[in-house]
Amino acid sequence: MSGLQGKRWYFFLWDEDNIEHLLVHRITPEEAEEVFFNPYIITPNKKKYGPRRYKIDGKTDNGRTLRIIFEDRGGHVAKIITGWDL
């Protein structure tokens, strides 16, 4: 996928809203971040949310398979929006 080859995210923006939204799905912020550091598949999210939103399917360090929706903020920074188990 053009524009994403070799792209990595190392920093994450958190606020009460996205933390609470993840906790509703029983996902901790740490688990959501782990997906970015293990093998994953990434694809664009629905177009109505803008060109910088993606879905990433991957595993936590404990092997839990998650789908995480996030926004690419540039400079290796991601804002995680939500997530759920696959």
Side-chain angles (χ1 to χ4, degrees):
M1 175 174 293
S2 67
L4 291 179
Q5 257 184 349
K7 176 75 173 164
R8 298 295 291 182
W9 295 269
Y10 302 108
F11 308 100
F12 303 92
L13 299 176
W14 293 104
D15 58 36
E16 286 183 34
D17 290 335
N18 61 352
I19 291 170
E20 285 181 27
H21 199 115
L22 281 176
L23 292 175
V24 167
H25 297 277
R26 297 185 176 141
I27 299 171
T28 65
E30 293 79 15
E31 287 177 308
E33 290 181 7
E34 288 172 5
V35 170
F36 288 80
F37 297 101
N38 290 310
Y40 59 75
I41 297 172
I42 187 168
T43 56
N45 198 26
K46 297 177 183 173
K47 291 183 183 196
K48 70 180 182 177
Y49 294 113
R52 297 174 63 100
R53 283 224 181 155
Y54 301 95
K55 55 186 168 186
I56 184 170
D57 296 342
K59 293 188 182 231
T60 66
D61 292 347
N62 288 326
R64 185 176 180 190
T65 305
L66 300 176
R67 172 169 287 164
I68 302 295
I69 306 299
F70 74 98
E71 184 173 275
D72 178 14
R73 293 291 183 96
H76 304 288
V77 177
K79 179 169 186 183
I80 294 172
I81 308 299
T82 190
W84 55 87
D85 285 282
L86 287 177

